[in-house]
Amino acid sequence: MKKKYIFKFRLLPVIAYTALVFLLVRARTYHVSFDDMINLPFNSSMELWDVFSLVKASAILGISIWAALTLGYLLITEQIKLKKTKLYIPMLIYTLAVVVSYVMSDYRMMAWTGAPQRFEGVRTILCYMFMLFYTINAVDEMEDVVAIITATVGGVLVACLIGLSQFLWHDFFLTGIGSSIVTGSSGVSVQGQFWPWQIYQTVYNMNYVSVYLCLIVPVLVYALYYFVQKNNYQSLMARGIYGRRRVALIFFTGMMLLLIAVNLYGAESAGGVVGIGVALIIMAIVMVKEKWQKGVLAAVLFAGMVIVIIAAYALGKDTKTQIDYIETGMDRVDMSIDGEELHIIYDRENNVFDLRNRKNHSINAYCFEGEEGRRFQVDKHGLAGKIVIVPYIDDKDRYGFFADMNDAKLDFVFDEDGTKYINSLDEEVSLHKTESFGFEGHLSALSGRGYIWSRTLPLLKKKLLTGYGADTLMLIFPQDDYAGKYSADMLLSNYCDKPHSIYLQMAVGTGIISLIAFLAMMGMGLFMAFRPAQGQMNMQRQMNMQTHILPKVIAAGIVGFLVAGLVNDSSVCVMPMFYGFFGMMAAVCIKTS
């Protein structure tokens, strides 16, 4: 007779971390750590507030302390023995690389706590690694995994119901109850902070919805398959699942998948959908053939990456006018539009406004006297219809001009210490050519990711090994690259605080060593899950939710998450569930190896 499963209290931190953290939503105020953040819409004199990320980062820290105390108690009372695995090696290297990146960072305050609205600094990353270590050692058998997954499915149900309310234009967080949950006694209004029709659930960014669902969809699909299959009757009956209860589970699982499909549609995230597709392909291979042929996993992963890259280029080819660069100097602005150079020069002595081409030949020359507010169409050398110059005199009696690009108006002023561009924050800044790498003609690829990647990749050269510090991209990214933003069809007031790729985020934040260690960690864990089962599956394993298959199904979801990570960044909203699933998969594989 099958031994009755007894729930272990040591799983509570894992369940809180994996199944509940992503649901937390609460308004909290904070101040940023830096005074001089030019081109960014905040400074340390401002009191800011956050709804989604800060509360989750605080919960991650609290749960990690809880888990540390629990682990200490279990070790002292000899209720647990630490598992032995080589997986600790890349985990340790990754942790050390993150710490070194913090020590070597020029922005330690932000590297420690994380950027505004993100809060994924070194403190949070160290919690990730400790909770992974704890999960590996706290989870001991397949029933533990089932308990954690069951709790997670419950959390996903709550999140998807909230997502459904957002899809139907009745956002739960804009109701009286929802608003009170978010704001508490802070008095912060949530009106206008959320978006109608689009689904963001409790994870803030629509992209994160499909990213974390990569983990849960394969498990639900497998559960539905498991409950429906007739040859699982004996196993189901041994677990007390038969008759109406089995039908109820089939109905619930099917409805969950339908609800998730609606949320995926409303979230509109192609990257996450591709990840789910790859996960389901891998799971199908697992179900069809238990013994893996050499290279199948690598081939599927490669195919997923190729799909993302092709989509980036095919779907994101730039069609609008391109500003190749803008550079300001003393009484001049140099720019290139669709390869045609334009030099705008102000002659202070003669009060003349001169436009010249790449050969320094004058296109037009205007005298400011009596010309303020007049529009001058640049109609030569391929620039016809692309730019209009509108001179003006500001309230400080300085001469300037608007470069009207039809869908954007660039404001320049000739100051005593050089020509300045006036940005959306009314700051006067000098502009220069921005270094870039790749994606020429595809800056708008994948909702502007081509632009972000092309400007982030050159940053790796300076600190390839150690990185600039976790979550510090907003301080090193060329936020004043208004030419690139315009060409990528982005708002000129936008600022970049993340590279929209987990791998690029690690490389630039915590260094290439941390990225290699992370990939090694993932590779070792997935290898343990996907390696062929030894011997034939016995009845005990059948009764135990097919022990040799479920870790592979979880691993398929992890692969899907990693594929989605090519075009989505790490976040406190999704990483706890990811590391929770990875940890319990590894725990079962380590014990059965």
mmCIF file with all atom_site columns, all heavy atoms in Angstrom, residues 332-333 335 344 353 368 387-392 399-404 410-414 419:
data_model
loop_
_atom_site.group_PDB
_atom_site.id
_atom_site.type_symbol
_atom_site.label_atom_id
_atom_site.label_alt_id
_atom_site.label_comp_id
_atom_site.label_asym_id
_atom_site.label_entity_id
_atom_site.label_seq_id
_atom_site.pdbx_PDB_ins_code
_atom_site.Cartn_x
_atom_site.Cartn_y
_atom_site.Cartn_z
_atom_site.occupancy
_atom_site.B_iso_or_equiv
_atom_site.pdbx_formal_charge
_atom_site.auth_seq_id
_atom_site.auth_comp_id
_atom_site.auth_asym_id
_atom_site.auth_atom_id
_atom_site.pdbx_PDB_model_num
ATOM 1   N N   . ARG A 1 332 ? 27.161 74.967 -34.332 1.00 0.00 ? 332 ARG A N   1
ATOM 2   C CA  . ARG A 1 332 ? 26.845 74.116 -35.471 1.00 0.00 ? 332 ARG A CA  1
ATOM 3   C C   . ARG A 1 332 ? 26.173 72.825 -34.999 1.00 0.00 ? 332 ARG A C   1
ATOM 4   O O   . ARG A 1 332 ? 26.350 72.384 -33.862 1.00 0.00 ? 332 ARG A O   1
ATOM 5   C CB  . ARG A 1 332 ? 28.090 73.792 -36.300 1.00 0.00 ? 332 ARG A CB  1
ATOM 6   C CG  . ARG A 1 332 ? 29.101 72.932 -35.579 1.00 0.00 ? 332 ARG A CG  1
ATOM 7   C CD  . ARG A 1 332 ? 30.326 72.694 -36.463 1.00 0.00 ? 332 ARG A CD  1
ATOM 8   N NE  . ARG A 1 332 ? 30.006 71.929 -37.659 1.00 0.00 ? 332 ARG A NE  1
ATOM 9   C CZ  . ARG A 1 332 ? 30.563 72.163 -38.855 1.00 0.00 ? 332 ARG A CZ  1
ATOM 10  N NH1 . ARG A 1 332 ? 31.437 73.155 -39.001 1.00 0.00 ? 332 ARG A NH1 1
ATOM 11  N NH2 . ARG A 1 332 ? 30.243 71.412 -39.899 1.00 0.00 ? 332 ARG A NH2 1
ATOM 12  N N   . VAL A 1 333 ? 25.394 72.267 -35.904 1.00 0.00 ? 333 VAL A N   1
ATOM 13  C CA  . VAL A 1 333 ? 24.794 70.947 -35.703 1.00 0.00 ? 333 VAL A CA  1
ATOM 14  C C   . VAL A 1 333 ? 25.063 70.137 -36.960 1.00 0.00 ? 333 VAL A C   1
ATOM 15  O O   . VAL A 1 333 ? 24.725 70.571 -38.076 1.00 0.00 ? 333 VAL A O   1
ATOM 16  C CB  . VAL A 1 333 ? 23.272 71.034 -35.468 1.00 0.00 ? 333 VAL A CB  1
ATOM 17  C CG1 . VAL A 1 333 ? 22.671 69.639 -35.373 1.00 0.00 ? 333 VAL A CG1 1
ATOM 18  C CG2 . VAL A 1 333 ? 22.963 71.824 -34.215 1.00 0.00 ? 333 VAL A CG2 1
ATOM 19  N N   . MET A 1 335 ? 24.394 66.518 -38.866 1.00 0.00 ? 335 MET A N   1
ATOM 20  C CA  . MET A 1 335 ? 23.531 65.344 -38.841 1.00 0.00 ? 335 MET A CA  1
ATOM 21  C C   . MET A 1 335 ? 23.536 64.657 -40.192 1.00 0.00 ? 335 MET A C   1
ATOM 22  O O   . MET A 1 335 ? 23.977 65.228 -41.205 1.00 0.00 ? 335 MET A O   1
ATOM 23  C CB  . MET A 1 335 ? 22.106 65.703 -38.424 1.00 0.00 ? 335 MET A CB  1
ATOM 24  C CG  . MET A 1 335 ? 21.380 66.629 -39.382 1.00 0.00 ? 335 MET A CG  1
ATOM 25  S SD  . MET A 1 335 ? 19.624 66.860 -38.936 1.00 0.00 ? 335 MET A SD  1
ATOM 26  C CE  . MET A 1 335 ? 19.749 67.593 -37.331 1.00 0.00 ? 335 MET A CE  1
ATOM 27  N N   . ILE A 1 344 ? 24.316 72.376 -40.174 1.00 0.00 ? 344 ILE A N   1
ATOM 28  C CA  . ILE A 1 344 ? 23.590 73.608 -39.874 1.00 0.00 ? 344 ILE A CA  1
ATOM 29  C C   . ILE A 1 344 ? 24.513 74.485 -39.042 1.00 0.00 ? 344 ILE A C   1
ATOM 30  O O   . ILE A 1 344 ? 24.858 74.132 -37.906 1.00 0.00 ? 344 ILE A O   1
ATOM 31  C CB  . ILE A 1 344 ? 22.287 73.295 -39.114 1.00 0.00 ? 344 ILE A CB  1
ATOM 32  C CG1 . ILE A 1 344 ? 21.454 72.301 -39.926 1.00 0.00 ? 344 ILE A CG1 1
ATOM 33  C CG2 . ILE A 1 344 ? 21.500 74.569 -38.842 1.00 0.00 ? 344 ILE A CG2 1
ATOM 34  C CD1 . ILE A 1 344 ? 20.286 71.710 -39.173 1.00 0.00 ? 344 ILE A CD1 1
ATOM 35  N N   . PHE A 1 353 ? 22.433 82.148 -40.788 1.00 0.00 ? 353 PHE A N   1
ATOM 36  C CA  . PHE A 1 353 ? 22.097 80.756 -40.520 1.00 0.00 ? 353 PHE A CA  1
ATOM 37  C C   . PHE A 1 353 ? 22.319 79.987 -41.816 1.00 0.00 ? 353 PHE A C   1
ATOM 38  O O   . PHE A 1 353 ? 21.608 80.191 -42.794 1.00 0.00 ? 353 PHE A O   1
ATOM 39  C CB  . PHE A 1 353 ? 20.618 80.726 -40.096 1.00 0.00 ? 353 PHE A CB  1
ATOM 40  C CG  . PHE A 1 353 ? 20.136 79.425 -39.565 1.00 0.00 ? 353 PHE A CG  1
ATOM 41  C CD1 . PHE A 1 353 ? 20.672 78.892 -38.407 1.00 0.00 ? 353 PHE A CD1 1
ATOM 42  C CD2 . PHE A 1 353 ? 19.111 78.740 -40.204 1.00 0.00 ? 353 PHE A CD2 1
ATOM 43  C CE1 . PHE A 1 353 ? 20.191 77.701 -37.896 1.00 0.00 ? 353 PHE A CE1 1
ATOM 44  C CE2 . PHE A 1 353 ? 18.630 77.557 -39.697 1.00 0.00 ? 353 PHE A CE2 1
ATOM 45  C CZ  . PHE A 1 353 ? 19.173 77.025 -38.536 1.00 0.00 ? 353 PHE A CZ  1
ATOM 46  N N   . PHE A 1 368 ? 18.873 85.827 -39.656 1.00 0.00 ? 368 PHE A N   1
ATOM 47  C CA  . PHE A 1 368 ? 17.869 85.733 -38.601 1.00 0.00 ? 368 PHE A CA  1
ATOM 48  C C   . PHE A 1 368 ? 16.992 86.975 -38.536 1.00 0.00 ? 368 PHE A C   1
ATOM 49  O O   . PHE A 1 368 ? 15.889 86.939 -38.029 1.00 0.00 ? 368 PHE A O   1
ATOM 50  C CB  . PHE A 1 368 ? 18.551 85.529 -37.242 1.00 0.00 ? 368 PHE A CB  1
ATOM 51  C CG  . PHE A 1 368 ? 18.609 84.079 -36.845 1.00 0.00 ? 368 PHE A CG  1
ATOM 52  C CD1 . PHE A 1 368 ? 19.814 83.409 -36.831 1.00 0.00 ? 368 PHE A CD1 1
ATOM 53  C CD2 . PHE A 1 368 ? 17.463 83.400 -36.490 1.00 0.00 ? 368 PHE A CD2 1
ATOM 54  C CE1 . PHE A 1 368 ? 19.876 82.086 -36.462 1.00 0.00 ? 368 PHE A CE1 1
ATOM 55  C CE2 . PHE A 1 368 ? 17.511 82.069 -36.124 1.00 0.00 ? 368 PHE A CE2 1
ATOM 56  C CZ  . PHE A 1 368 ? 18.730 81.406 -36.112 1.00 0.00 ? 368 PHE A CZ  1
ATOM 57  N N   . ILE A 1 387 ? 12.880 67.168 -43.878 1.00 0.00 ? 387 ILE A N   1
ATOM 58  C CA  . ILE A 1 387 ? 13.208 68.043 -42.757 1.00 0.00 ? 387 ILE A CA  1
ATOM 59  C C   . ILE A 1 387 ? 12.905 69.488 -43.122 1.00 0.00 ? 387 ILE A C   1
ATOM 60  O O   . ILE A 1 387 ? 13.137 69.927 -44.259 1.00 0.00 ? 387 ILE A O   1
ATOM 61  C CB  . ILE A 1 387 ? 14.694 67.884 -42.349 1.00 0.00 ? 387 ILE A CB  1
ATOM 62  C CG1 . ILE A 1 387 ? 15.006 68.746 -41.124 1.00 0.00 ? 387 ILE A CG1 1
ATOM 63  C CG2 . ILE A 1 387 ? 15.623 68.176 -43.499 1.00 0.00 ? 387 ILE A CG2 1
ATOM 64  C CD1 . ILE A 1 387 ? 16.393 68.486 -40.538 1.00 0.00 ? 387 ILE A CD1 1
ATOM 65  N N   . VAL A 1 388 ? 12.363 70.206 -42.150 1.00 0.00 ? 388 VAL A N   1
ATOM 66  C CA  . VAL A 1 388 ? 12.083 71.632 -42.291 1.00 0.00 ? 388 VAL A CA  1
ATOM 67  C C   . VAL A 1 388 ? 12.759 72.353 -41.137 1.00 0.00 ? 388 VAL A C   1
ATOM 68  O O   . VAL A 1 388 ? 12.693 71.906 -39.984 1.00 0.00 ? 388 VAL A O   1
ATOM 69  C CB  . VAL A 1 388 ? 10.561 71.909 -42.273 1.00 0.00 ? 388 VAL A CB  1
ATOM 70  C CG1 . VAL A 1 388 ? 10.286 73.403 -42.270 1.00 0.00 ? 388 VAL A CG1 1
ATOM 71  C CG2 . VAL A 1 388 ? 9.886  71.235 -43.462 1.00 0.00 ? 388 VAL A CG2 1
ATOM 72  N N   . ILE A 1 389 ? 13.445 73.449 -41.418 1.00 0.00 ? 389 ILE A N   1
ATOM 73  C CA  . ILE A 1 389 ? 14.145 74.240 -40.409 1.00 0.00 ? 389 ILE A CA  1
ATOM 74  C C   . ILE A 1 389 ? 13.282 75.444 -40.025 1.00 0.00 ? 389 ILE A C   1
ATOM 75  O O   . ILE A 1 389 ? 12.857 76.203 -40.887 1.00 0.00 ? 389 ILE A O   1
ATOM 76  C CB  . ILE A 1 389 ? 15.517 74.704 -40.920 1.00 0.00 ? 389 ILE A CB  1
ATOM 77  C CG1 . ILE A 1 389 ? 16.372 73.499 -41.354 1.00 0.00 ? 389 ILE A CG1 1
ATOM 78  C CG2 . ILE A 1 389 ? 16.235 75.515 -39.847 1.00 0.00 ? 389 ILE A CG2 1
ATOM 79  C CD1 . ILE A 1 389 ? 16.627 72.505 -40.256 1.00 0.00 ? 389 ILE A CD1 1
ATOM 80  N N   . VAL A 1 390 ? 13.042 75.596 -38.728 1.00 0.00 ? 390 VAL A N   1
ATOM 81  C CA  . VAL A 1 390 ? 12.221 76.705 -38.227 1.00 0.00 ? 390 VAL A CA  1
ATOM 82  C C   . VAL A 1 390 ? 13.043 77.513 -37.221 1.00 0.00 ? 390 VAL A C   1
ATOM 83  O O   . VAL A 1 390 ? 13.192 77.110 -36.062 1.00 0.00 ? 390 VAL A O   1
ATOM 84  C CB  . VAL A 1 390 ? 10.929 76.193 -37.552 1.00 0.00 ? 390 VAL A CB  1
ATOM 85  C CG1 . VAL A 1 390 ? 10.037 77.365 -37.152 1.00 0.00 ? 390 VAL A CG1 1
ATOM 86  C CG2 . VAL A 1 390 ? 10.182 75.222 -38.458 1.00 0.00 ? 390 VAL A CG2 1
ATOM 87  N N   . PRO A 1 391 ? 13.638 78.647 -37.610 1.00 0.00 ? 391 PRO A N   1
ATOM 88  C CA  . PRO A 1 391 ? 14.447 79.460 -36.685 1.00 0.00 ? 391 PRO A CA  1
ATOM 89  C C   . PRO A 1 391 ? 13.573 80.129 -35.625 1.00 0.00 ? 391 PRO A C   1
ATOM 90  O O   . PRO A 1 391 ? 12.378 80.360 -35.820 1.00 0.00 ? 391 PRO A O   1
ATOM 91  C CB  . PRO A 1 391 ? 15.085 80.512 -37.597 1.00 0.00 ? 391 PRO A CB  1
ATOM 92  C CG  . PRO A 1 391 ? 14.907 79.998 -38.989 1.00 0.00 ? 391 PRO A CG  1
ATOM 93  C CD  . PRO A 1 391 ? 13.647 79.208 -38.964 1.00 0.00 ? 391 PRO A CD  1
ATOM 94  N N   . TYR A 1 392 ? 14.183 80.464 -34.480 1.00 0.00 ? 392 TYR A N   1
ATOM 95  C CA  . TYR A 1 392 ? 13.479 81.201 -33.435 1.00 0.00 ? 392 TYR A CA  1
ATOM 96  C C   . TYR A 1 392 ? 14.490 81.903 -32.538 1.00 0.00 ? 392 TYR A C   1
ATOM 97  O O   . TYR A 1 392 ? 15.691 81.631 -32.603 1.00 0.00 ? 392 TYR A O   1
ATOM 98  C CB  . TYR A 1 392 ? 12.586 80.277 -32.612 1.00 0.00 ? 392 TYR A CB  1
ATOM 99  C CG  . TYR A 1 392 ? 13.338 79.309 -31.719 1.00 0.00 ? 392 TYR A CG  1
ATOM 100 C CD1 . TYR A 1 392 ? 13.778 79.690 -30.452 1.00 0.00 ? 392 TYR A CD1 1
ATOM 101 C CD2 . TYR A 1 392 ? 13.602 78.008 -32.133 1.00 0.00 ? 392 TYR A CD2 1
ATOM 102 C CE1 . TYR A 1 392 ? 14.460 78.815 -29.624 1.00 0.00 ? 392 TYR A CE1 1
ATOM 103 C CE2 . TYR A 1 392 ? 14.278 77.119 -31.325 1.00 0.00 ? 392 TYR A CE2 1
ATOM 104 C CZ  . TYR A 1 392 ? 14.716 77.526 -30.063 1.00 0.00 ? 392 TYR A CZ  1
ATOM 105 O OH  . TYR A 1 392 ? 15.397 76.664 -29.263 1.00 0.00 ? 392 TYR A OH  1
ATOM 106 N N   . TYR A 1 399 ? 19.673 82.589 -30.259 1.00 0.00 ? 399 TYR A N   1
ATOM 107 C CA  . TYR A 1 399 ? 19.141 82.085 -31.514 1.00 0.00 ? 399 TYR A CA  1
ATOM 108 C C   . TYR A 1 399 ? 19.100 80.554 -31.481 1.00 0.00 ? 399 TYR A C   1
ATOM 109 O O   . TYR A 1 399 ? 19.979 79.908 -30.918 1.00 0.00 ? 399 TYR A O   1
ATOM 110 C CB  . TYR A 1 399 ? 19.989 82.553 -32.697 1.00 0.00 ? 399 TYR A CB  1
ATOM 111 C CG  . TYR A 1 399 ? 19.916 84.040 -32.914 1.00 0.00 ? 399 TYR A CG  1
ATOM 112 C CD1 . TYR A 1 399 ? 20.947 84.879 -32.495 1.00 0.00 ? 399 TYR A CD1 1
ATOM 113 C CD2 . TYR A 1 399 ? 18.799 84.602 -33.536 1.00 0.00 ? 399 TYR A CD2 1
ATOM 114 C CE1 . TYR A 1 399 ? 20.869 86.247 -32.677 1.00 0.00 ? 399 TYR A CE1 1
ATOM 115 C CE2 . TYR A 1 399 ? 18.721 85.982 -33.721 1.00 0.00 ? 399 TYR A CE2 1
ATOM 116 C CZ  . TYR A 1 399 ? 19.751 86.796 -33.288 1.00 0.00 ? 399 TYR A CZ  1
ATOM 117 O OH  . TYR A 1 399 ? 19.671 88.149 -33.467 1.00 0.00 ? 399 TYR A OH  1
ATOM 118 N N   . GLY A 1 400 ? 18.080 79.995 -32.086 1.00 0.00 ? 400 GLY A N   1
ATOM 119 C CA  . GLY A 1 400 ? 17.941 78.555 -32.155 1.00 0.00 ? 400 GLY A CA  1
ATOM 120 C C   . GLY A 1 400 ? 17.061 78.159 -33.319 1.00 0.00 ? 400 GLY A C   1
ATOM 121 O O   . GLY A 1 400 ? 16.657 78.991 -34.131 1.00 0.00 ? 400 GLY A O   1
ATOM 122 N N   . PHE A 1 401 ? 16.766 76.870 -33.409 1.00 0.00 ? 401 PHE A N   1
ATOM 123 C CA  . PHE A 1 401 ? 15.911 76.413 -34.501 1.00 0.00 ? 401 PHE A CA  1
ATOM 124 C C   . PHE A 1 401 ? 15.268 75.071 -34.131 1.00 0.00 ? 401 PHE A C   1
ATOM 125 O O   . PHE A 1 401 ? 15.784 74.326 -33.303 1.00 0.00 ? 401 PHE A O   1
ATOM 126 C CB  . PHE A 1 401 ? 16.691 76.271 -35.806 1.00 0.00 ? 401 PHE A CB  1
ATOM 127 C CG  . PHE A 1 401 ? 17.701 75.162 -35.811 1.00 0.00 ? 401 PHE A CG  1
ATOM 128 C CD1 . PHE A 1 401 ? 17.372 73.885 -36.274 1.00 0.00 ? 401 PHE A CD1 1
ATOM 129 C CD2 . PHE A 1 401 ? 19.000 75.380 -35.351 1.00 0.00 ? 401 PHE A CD2 1
ATOM 130 C CE1 . PHE A 1 401 ? 18.300 72.866 -36.271 1.00 0.00 ? 401 PHE A CE1 1
ATOM 131 C CE2 . PHE A 1 401 ? 19.932 74.356 -35.348 1.00 0.00 ? 401 PHE A CE2 1
ATOM 132 C CZ  . PHE A 1 401 ? 19.592 73.092 -35.810 1.00 0.00 ? 401 PHE A CZ  1
ATOM 133 N N   . PHE A 1 402 ? 14.135 74.814 -34.735 1.00 0.00 ? 402 PHE A N   1
ATOM 134 C CA  . PHE A 1 402 ? 13.504 73.501 -34.678 1.00 0.00 ? 402 PHE A CA  1
ATOM 135 C C   . PHE A 1 402 ? 13.834 72.766 -35.963 1.00 0.00 ? 402 PHE A C   1
ATOM 136 O O   . PHE A 1 402 ? 13.706 73.333 -37.059 1.00 0.00 ? 402 PHE A O   1
ATOM 137 C CB  . PHE A 1 402 ? 11.984 73.613 -34.552 1.00 0.00 ? 402 PHE A CB  1
ATOM 138 C CG  . PHE A 1 402 ? 11.513 74.171 -33.250 1.00 0.00 ? 402 PHE A CG  1
ATOM 139 C CD1 . PHE A 1 402 ? 10.966 75.449 -33.190 1.00 0.00 ? 402 PHE A CD1 1
ATOM 140 C CD2 . PHE A 1 402 ? 11.612 73.427 -32.087 1.00 0.00 ? 402 PHE A CD2 1
ATOM 141 C CE1 . PHE A 1 402 ? 10.517 75.967 -31.988 1.00 0.00 ? 402 PHE A CE1 1
ATOM 142 C CE2 . PHE A 1 402 ? 11.171 73.938 -30.879 1.00 0.00 ? 402 PHE A CE2 1
ATOM 143 C CZ  . PHE A 1 402 ? 10.634 75.213 -30.828 1.00 0.00 ? 402 PHE A CZ  1
ATOM 144 N N   . ALA A 1 403 ? 14.243 71.503 -35.846 1.00 0.00 ? 403 ALA A N   1
ATOM 145 C CA  . ALA A 1 403 ? 14.372 70.624 -37.010 1.00 0.00 ? 403 ALA A CA  1
ATOM 146 C C   . ALA A 1 403 ? 13.114 69.774 -37.041 1.00 0.00 ? 403 ALA A C   1
ATOM 147 O O   . ALA A 1 403 ? 12.966 68.820 -36.277 1.00 0.00 ? 403 ALA A O   1
ATOM 148 C CB  . ALA A 1 403 ? 15.613 69.761 -36.902 1.00 0.00 ? 403 ALA A CB  1
ATOM 149 N N   . ASP A 1 404 ? 12.179 70.156 -37.902 1.00 0.00 ? 404 ASP A N   1
ATOM 150 C CA  . ASP A 1 404 ? 10.879 69.496 -37.965 1.00 0.00 ? 404 ASP A CA  1
ATOM 151 C C   . ASP A 1 404 ? 10.971 68.288 -38.897 1.00 0.00 ? 404 ASP A C   1
ATOM 152 O O   . ASP A 1 404 ? 11.183 68.438 -40.102 1.00 0.00 ? 404 ASP A O   1
ATOM 153 C CB  . ASP A 1 404 ? 9.829  70.491 -38.470 1.00 0.00 ? 404 ASP A CB  1
ATOM 154 C CG  . ASP A 1 404 ? 8.406  69.978 -38.262 1.00 0.00 ? 404 ASP A CG  1
ATOM 155 O OD1 . ASP A 1 404 ? 8.253  68.757 -38.108 1.00 0.00 ? 404 ASP A OD1 1
ATOM 156 O OD2 . ASP A 1 404 ? 7.477  70.804 -38.251 1.00 0.00 ? 404 ASP A OD2 1
ATOM 157 N N   . LEU A 1 410 ? 12.848 68.480 -33.299 1.00 0.00 ? 410 LEU A N   1
ATOM 158 C CA  . LEU A 1 410 ? 14.090 68.552 -32.527 1.00 0.00 ? 410 LEU A CA  1
ATOM 159 C C   . LEU A 1 410 ? 14.449 70.007 -32.287 1.00 0.00 ? 410 LEU A C   1
ATOM 160 O O   . LEU A 1 410 ? 14.495 70.816 -33.214 1.00 0.00 ? 410 LEU A O   1
ATOM 161 C CB  . LEU A 1 410 ? 15.227 67.850 -33.281 1.00 0.00 ? 410 LEU A CB  1
ATOM 162 C CG  . LEU A 1 410 ? 14.914 66.427 -33.787 1.00 0.00 ? 410 LEU A CG  1
ATOM 163 C CD1 . LEU A 1 410 ? 16.107 65.851 -34.546 1.00 0.00 ? 410 LEU A CD1 1
ATOM 164 C CD2 . LEU A 1 410 ? 14.533 65.521 -32.635 1.00 0.00 ? 410 LEU A CD2 1
ATOM 165 N N   . ASP A 1 411 ? 14.725 70.343 -31.029 1.00 0.00 ? 411 ASP A N   1
ATOM 166 C CA  . ASP A 1 411 ? 14.920 71.730 -30.609 1.00 0.00 ? 411 ASP A CA  1
ATOM 167 C C   . ASP A 1 411 ? 16.391 71.974 -30.275 1.00 0.00 ? 411 ASP A C   1
ATOM 168 O O   . ASP A 1 411 ? 16.961 71.313 -29.397 1.00 0.00 ? 411 ASP A O   1
ATOM 169 C CB  . ASP A 1 411 ? 14.046 71.992 -29.380 1.00 0.00 ? 411 ASP A CB  1
ATOM 170 C CG  . ASP A 1 411 ? 14.021 73.459 -28.999 1.00 0.00 ? 411 ASP A CG  1
ATOM 171 O OD1 . ASP A 1 411 ? 14.703 74.268 -29.658 1.00 0.00 ? 411 ASP A OD1 1
ATOM 172 O OD2 . ASP A 1 411 ? 13.319 73.790 -28.022 1.00 0.00 ? 411 ASP A OD2 1
ATOM 173 N N   . PHE A 1 412 ? 17.023 72.937 -30.984 1.00 0.00 ? 412 PHE A N   1
ATOM 174 C CA  . PHE A 1 412 ? 18.422 73.268 -30.759 1.00 0.00 ? 412 PHE A CA  1
ATOM 175 C C   . PHE A 1 412 ? 18.552 74.764 -30.477 1.00 0.00 ? 412 PHE A C   1
ATOM 176 O O   . PHE A 1 412 ? 17.802 75.586 -31.021 1.00 0.00 ? 412 PHE A O   1
ATOM 177 C CB  . PHE A 1 412 ? 19.281 72.930 -31.982 1.00 0.00 ? 412 PHE A CB  1
ATOM 178 C CG  . PHE A 1 412 ? 19.305 71.464 -32.322 1.00 0.00 ? 412 PHE A CG  1
ATOM 179 C CD1 . PHE A 1 412 ? 18.353 70.919 -33.169 1.00 0.00 ? 412 PHE A CD1 1
ATOM 180 C CD2 . PHE A 1 412 ? 20.284 70.641 -31.797 1.00 0.00 ? 412 PHE A CD2 1
ATOM 181 C CE1 . PHE A 1 412 ? 18.375 69.569 -33.486 1.00 0.00 ? 412 PHE A CE1 1
ATOM 182 C CE2 . PHE A 1 412 ? 20.318 69.287 -32.111 1.00 0.00 ? 412 PHE A CE2 1
ATOM 183 C CZ  . PHE A 1 412 ? 19.362 68.753 -32.949 1.00 0.00 ? 412 PHE A CZ  1
ATOM 184 N N   . VAL A 1 413 ? 19.531 75.110 -29.620 1.00 0.00 ? 413 VAL A N   1
ATOM 185 C CA  . VAL A 1 413 ? 19.788 76.511 -29.307 1.00 0.00 ? 413 VAL A CA  1
ATOM 186 C C   . VAL A 1 413 ? 21.289 76.760 -29.349 1.00 0.00 ? 413 VAL A C   1
ATOM 187 O O   . VAL A 1 413 ? 22.093 75.908 -28.942 1.00 0.00 ? 413 VAL A O   1
ATOM 188 C CB  . VAL A 1 413 ? 19.208 76.885 -27.929 1.00 0.00 ? 413 VAL A CB  1
ATOM 189 C CG1 . VAL A 1 413 ? 19.895 76.111 -26.809 1.00 0.00 ? 413 VAL A CG1 1
ATOM 190 C CG2 . VAL A 1 413 ? 19.284 78.383 -27.688 1.00 0.00 ? 413 VAL A CG2 1
ATOM 191 N N   . PHE A 1 414 ? 21.694 77.929 -29.894 1.00 0.00 ? 414 PHE A N   1
ATOM 192 C CA  . PHE A 1 414 ? 23.109 78.289 -29.982 1.00 0.00 ? 414 PHE A CA  1
ATOM 193 C C   . PHE A 1 414 ? 23.486 79.045 -28.720 1.00 0.00 ? 414 PHE A C   1
ATOM 194 O O   . PHE A 1 414 ? 23.189 80.227 -28.559 1.00 0.00 ? 414 PHE A O   1
ATOM 195 C CB  . PHE A 1 414 ? 23.359 79.150 -31.224 1.00 0.00 ? 414 PHE A CB  1
ATOM 196 C CG  . PHE A 1 414 ? 23.065 78.418 -32.510 1.00 0.00 ? 414 PHE A CG  1
ATOM 197 C CD1 . PHE A 1 414 ? 21.998 78.803 -33.306 1.00 0.00 ? 414 PHE A CD1 1
ATOM 198 C CD2 . PHE A 1 414 ? 23.853 77.354 -32.912 1.00 0.00 ? 414 PHE A CD2 1
ATOM 199 C CE1 . PHE A 1 414 ? 21.716 78.150 -34.488 1.00 0.00 ? 414 PHE A CE1 1
ATOM 200 C CE2 . PHE A 1 414 ? 23.585 76.685 -34.100 1.00 0.00 ? 414 PHE A CE2 1
ATOM 201 C CZ  . PHE A 1 414 ? 22.512 77.084 -34.897 1.00 0.00 ? 414 PHE A CZ  1
ATOM 202 N N   . THR A 1 419 ? 26.504 74.610 -29.077 1.00 0.00 ? 419 THR A N   1
ATOM 203 C CA  . THR A 1 419 ? 25.123 74.338 -29.454 1.00 0.00 ? 419 THR A CA  1
ATOM 204 C C   . THR A 1 419 ? 24.557 73.228 -28.571 1.00 0.00 ? 419 THR A C   1
ATOM 205 O O   . THR A 1 419 ? 25.227 72.235 -28.295 1.00 0.00 ? 419 THR A O   1
ATOM 206 C CB  . THR A 1 419 ? 25.046 73.913 -30.929 1.00 0.00 ? 419 THR A CB  1
ATOM 207 O OG1 . THR A 1 419 ? 25.714 74.895 -31.730 1.00 0.00 ? 419 THR A OG1 1
ATOM 208 C CG2 . THR A 1 419 ? 23.611 73.781 -31.385 1.00 0.00 ? 419 THR A CG2 1
#
